[in-house]
mmCIF file of all heavy atoms in Angstrom:
data_model
loop_
_atom_site.group_PDB
_atom_site.id
_atom_site.type_symbol
_atom_site.label_atom_id
_atom_site.label_comp_id
_atom_site.label_asym_id
_atom_site.label_seq_id
_atom_site.Cartn_x
_atom_site.Cartn_y
_atom_site.Cartn_z
ATOM 1 N N SER A 804 108.355 112.680 91.680
ATOM 2 C CA SER A 804 107.429 112.686 90.565
ATOM 3 C C SER A 804 106.188 111.714 90.681
ATOM 4 O O SER A 804 105.194 111.955 90.123
ATOM 5 C CB SER A 804 108.249 112.524 89.253
ATOM 6 O OG SER A 804 108.800 111.220 89.335
ATOM 7 N N ALA A 813 94.036 112.614 94.450
ATOM 8 C CA ALA A 813 93.691 112.295 95.861
ATOM 9 C C ALA A 813 92.190 112.162 96.047
ATOM 10 O O ALA A 813 91.606 111.346 96.713
ATOM 11 C CB ALA A 813 94.380 113.151 96.790
ATOM 12 N N HIS A 827 89.394 99.528 92.879
ATOM 13 C CA HIS A 827 88.137 99.255 93.478
ATOM 14 C C HIS A 827 87.685 97.887 92.856
ATOM 15 O O HIS A 827 87.176 97.038 93.631
ATOM 16 C CB HIS A 827 87.061 100.281 93.120
ATOM 17 C CG HIS A 827 87.216 101.476 93.956
ATOM 18 N ND1 HIS A 827 86.566 101.582 95.195
ATOM 19 C CD2 HIS A 827 87.739 102.637 93.748
ATOM 20 C CE1 HIS A 827 86.742 102.749 95.740
ATOM 21 N NE2 HIS A 827 87.493 103.465 94.874
ATOM 22 N N PRO A 831 88.427 93.369 96.099
ATOM 23 C CA PRO A 831 88.006 92.178 96.743
ATOM 24 C C PRO A 831 88.999 90.956 96.734
ATOM 25 O O PRO A 831 89.201 90.263 97.728
ATOM 26 C CB PRO A 831 86.658 91.805 96.002
ATOM 27 C CG PRO A 831 86.286 93.102 95.482
ATOM 28 C CD PRO A 831 87.568 93.941 95.132
ATOM 29 N N LEU A 849 88.439 83.777 110.549
ATOM 30 C CA LEU A 849 87.876 84.833 109.829
ATOM 31 C C LEU A 849 86.405 84.921 110.049
ATOM 32 O O LEU A 849 85.806 85.956 109.689
ATOM 33 C CB LEU A 849 88.162 84.833 108.348
ATOM 34 C CG LEU A 849 89.626 85.108 108.095
ATOM 35 C CD1 LEU A 849 89.903 84.917 106.531
ATOM 36 C CD2 LEU A 849 90.005 86.560 108.364
ATOM 37 N N ARG A 859 98.734 94.662 115.079
ATOM 38 C CA ARG A 859 99.041 96.013 114.594
ATOM 39 C C ARG A 859 99.511 95.888 113.150
ATOM 40 O O ARG A 859 100.354 95.128 112.835
ATOM 41 C CB ARG A 859 100.164 96.486 115.477
ATOM 42 C CG ARG A 859 100.388 98.015 115.157
ATOM 43 C CD ARG A 859 101.247 98.598 116.219
ATOM 44 N NE ARG A 859 101.162 100.133 116.169
ATOM 45 C CZ ARG A 859 102.348 100.822 115.934
ATOM 46 N NH1 ARG A 859 103.553 100.303 115.760
ATOM 47 N NH2 ARG A 859 102.148 102.135 115.800
ATOM 48 N N GLY A 883 97.900 103.849 108.690
ATOM 49 C CA GLY A 883 97.986 103.931 107.279
ATOM 50 C C GLY A 883 98.976 105.102 106.958
ATOM 51 O O GLY A 883 98.902 106.191 107.582
ATOM 52 N N ALA A 894 91.599 110.264 103.539
ATOM 53 C CA ALA A 894 91.401 108.998 104.253
ATOM 54 C C ALA A 894 90.899 109.268 105.652
ATOM 55 O O ALA A 894 90.038 108.520 106.096
ATOM 56 C CB ALA A 894 92.886 108.275 104.373
ATOM 57 N N ALA A 914 111.019 106.422 107.561
ATOM 58 C CA ALA A 914 110.928 107.339 108.728
ATOM 59 C C ALA A 914 110.242 106.611 109.827
ATOM 60 O O ALA A 914 110.724 106.693 110.973
ATOM 61 C CB ALA A 914 110.057 108.648 108.431
ATOM 62 N N LEU A 941 112.355 97.896 100.541
ATOM 63 C CA LEU A 941 111.941 96.617 101.119
ATOM 64 C C LEU A 941 112.756 96.255 102.427
ATOM 65 O O LEU A 941 112.153 95.765 103.370
ATOM 66 C CB LEU A 941 112.226 95.615 100.106
ATOM 67 C CG LEU A 941 111.218 95.567 98.960
ATOM 68 C CD1 LEU A 941 111.807 94.619 97.887
ATOM 69 C CD2 LEU A 941 109.925 95.184 99.353
ATOM 70 N N GLN A 946 112.387 96.084 108.449
ATOM 71 C CA GLN A 946 112.549 96.651 109.748
ATOM 72 C C GLN A 946 111.420 96.999 110.474
ATOM 73 O O GLN A 946 111.460 97.042 111.784
ATOM 74 C CB GLN A 946 113.558 97.869 109.515
ATOM 75 C CG GLN A 946 114.913 97.671 109.078
ATOM 76 C CD GLN A 946 115.629 98.779 108.646
ATOM 77 O OE1 GLN A 946 115.136 99.902 108.299
ATOM 78 N NE2 GLN A 946 116.976 98.679 108.409
ATOM 79 N N CYS A 956 103.218 91.905 99.726
ATOM 80 C CA CYS A 956 103.535 92.969 98.679
ATOM 81 C C CYS A 956 103.073 92.412 97.354
ATOM 82 O O CYS A 956 103.347 91.371 96.833
ATOM 83 C CB CYS A 956 105.094 92.965 98.655
ATOM 84 S SG CYS A 956 105.791 93.996 97.356
ATOM 85 N N ARG A 978 91.387 103.656 79.624
ATOM 86 C CA ARG A 978 91.542 104.946 80.222
ATOM 87 C C ARG A 978 91.059 104.741 81.733
ATOM 88 O O ARG A 978 90.469 105.665 82.208
ATOM 89 C CB ARG A 978 90.706 106.090 79.527
ATOM 90 C CG ARG A 978 91.271 106.200 78.066
ATOM 91 C CD ARG A 978 90.629 107.470 77.435
ATOM 92 N NE ARG A 978 91.317 107.579 76.096
ATOM 93 C CZ ARG A 978 90.807 108.517 75.219
ATOM 94 N NH1 ARG A 978 89.993 109.469 75.505
ATOM 95 N NH2 ARG A 978 91.391 108.598 74.030
ATOM 96 N N THR A 992 109.935 91.695 88.121
ATOM 97 C CA THR A 992 109.518 90.286 87.883
ATOM 98 C C THR A 992 109.340 89.626 89.277
ATOM 99 O O THR A 992 110.022 89.955 90.244
ATOM 100 C CB THR A 992 110.490 89.488 87.028
ATOM 101 O OG1 THR A 992 111.566 89.189 87.828
ATOM 102 C CG2 THR A 992 110.746 90.194 85.740
ATOM 103 N N VAL A 1018 85.970 88.791 80.020
ATOM 104 C CA VAL A 1018 84.596 88.296 79.687
ATOM 105 C C VAL A 1018 83.656 88.481 80.846
ATOM 106 O O VAL A 1018 82.641 89.083 80.853
ATOM 107 C CB VAL A 1018 84.703 86.867 79.282
ATOM 108 C CG1 VAL A 1018 83.319 86.376 79.004
ATOM 109 C CG2 VAL A 1018 85.515 86.668 77.987
ATOM 110 N N ALA A 1037 105.748 87.205 102.637
ATOM 111 C CA ALA A 1037 107.124 86.852 103.120
ATOM 112 C C ALA A 1037 107.106 87.076 104.611
ATOM 113 O O ALA A 1037 106.206 87.903 105.174
ATOM 114 C CB ALA A 1037 108.123 87.704 102.614
#
Side-chain angles (χ1 to χ4, degrees):
S804 64
H827 283 273
L849 288 172
R859 191 167 192 240
L941 290 167
Q946 292 167 345
C956 176
R978 298 189 180 177
T992 71
V1018 177

